[in-house]
């Protein structure tokens, strides 16, 4: 079945959940994560989808939820889930107990100590932990070594959960995944089917909870060598935007 045919079938169902990653899908990947803004028209297409009867739209990102909202400009009724499926509402971090807050601070200190020794490496604090970014480390071998030190160090602490990404290792003090987030959303919405788009390693956990042929999973990556559990592929954010636009048009007709 072609993606076009799968979208047609999906659009004809009663209640659907349309969910998507942010970076690499709605927003092109850029070297400065703080400047990753949506492709023009992407959020408009999602917003128009979210206004149609029987459609719930969710953006599920590794970003903390506040940053996701600020960068994307996405607002209700679109649901935003941050920190790889762990952060569902503002101020979530306040609900962490003293032990988890202490563990988070230990993780951040250890990551910062590693980043200090590898020029270009950066630590991004998150409500539930932190991420070590090595995208801007000039020597790829040094970047790989920094990630390896993080895996052997703070990632190995009891209660710490690691998520691998492209040139990033994210550590959290609560177990969460985009797959679990999609499962929760599917139940909340009572969706007949779920569509999900993602570009990164973390999105594979989301693809893994989707069932063909009813659900529609789309990998956003132009490199055919990248292995994915998704059933369909598109090249990049512009093609992802086309998926949202086509879906809205199909749903309206
Ligand atoms: Mg992404």
């Amino acid at each position: 079945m072609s993606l076009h045919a799968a979208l047609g079938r999906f659009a004809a169902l009663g209640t659907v959940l349309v969910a998507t990653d942010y970076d690499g899908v709605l927003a092109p990947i850029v070297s400065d994560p703080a400047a990753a803004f949506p492709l023009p028209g992407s959020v408009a297409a999602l917003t128009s989808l979210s206004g149609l009867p029987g459609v719930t739209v969710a953006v599920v990102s590794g970003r903390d939820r506040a940053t996701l909202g600020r960068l994307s400009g996405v607002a209700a009724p679109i649901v935003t889930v941050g920190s790889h499926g762990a952060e569902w509402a503002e101020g979530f971090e306040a609900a962490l107990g003293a032990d988890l807050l202490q563990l988070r601070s230990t993780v951040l200190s250890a990551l910062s100590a590693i980043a200090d020794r590898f020029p270009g490496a950066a630590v991004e604090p998150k409500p539930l932990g932190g991420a070590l970014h090595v995208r801007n480390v000039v020597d790829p071998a040094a970047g790989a070594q920094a990630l390896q030190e993080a895996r052997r160090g703070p990632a190995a602490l009891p209660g710490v959960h690691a998520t691998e990404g492209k040139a990033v290792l994210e550590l959290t003090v609560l177990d969460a995944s985009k797959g679990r987030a999609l499962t929760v959303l599917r139940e909340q919405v009572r969706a007949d089917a779920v569509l999900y788009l993602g570009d990164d390693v973390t999105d594979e956990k989301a693809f893994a909870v989707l069932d063909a042929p009813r659900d529609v999973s789309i990998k956003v990556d132009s490199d055919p060598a990248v292995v994915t559990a998704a059933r369909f592929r598109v090249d990049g954010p512009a093609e992802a935007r086309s998926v949202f636009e086509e879906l809205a048009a199909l749903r309206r007709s």
Side-chain angles (χ1 to χ4, degrees), residues 10-11 13-19 46-58 77 189 247-248 251-252:
F10 180 85
L13 295 168
T15 303
V16 293
L17 171 66
V18 177
L46 274 186
T47 302
S48 97
L49 259 176
S50 73
L52 298 175
V55 181
T56 298
V57 175
V189 172
L247 200 51
R251 187 80 186 174
R252 275 193 212 97

Side-chain angles (χ1 to χ4, degrees), residues 95-227:
L96 290 180
D99 289 357
L100 290 181
L101 285 174
Q102 178 57 51
L103 182 56
R104 173 181 178 272
S105 124
T106 302
V107 164
L108 284 174
S109 303
L111 289 179
S112 295
I114 294 168
D116 285 347
R117 287 186 290 104
F118 294 89
V123 176
E124 179 191 2
K126 303 248 187 162
L128 301 169
L132 177 64
H133 293 272
V134 300
R135 192 190 296 278
N136 295 330
V137 176
V138 177
D139 176 8
Q145 193 190 335
L147 292 177
Q148 189 57 27
E149 290 191 17
R151 287 185 201 105
R152 292 203 184 116
L157 292 171
V160 174
H161 304 270
T163 303
E164 303 273 349
K166 288 177 187 163
V168 59
L169 181 73
E170 174 149 359
L171 304 182
T172 57
V173 297
L174 278 184
D175 195 11
S177 77
K178 291 186 175 184
R180 187 187 284 182
L182 280 193
T183 300
V184 169
L185 283 168
R186 185 202 293 273
E187 286 169 8
Q188 282 181 354
V189 172
R190 297 179 187 278
D192 295 318
V194 178
L195 176 144
Y196 185 77
L197 294 96
D199 72 311
D200 208 340
V201 184
T202 58
D203 298 301
E204 294 299 324
K205 289 180 182 171
F207 296 142
V209 302
L210 299 190
D211 284 323
R214 184 153 272 244
D215 295 331
V216 181
S217 51
I218 306 172
K219 176 81 167 183
V220 182
D221 195 315
S222 59
D223 182 357
V226 174
V227 177

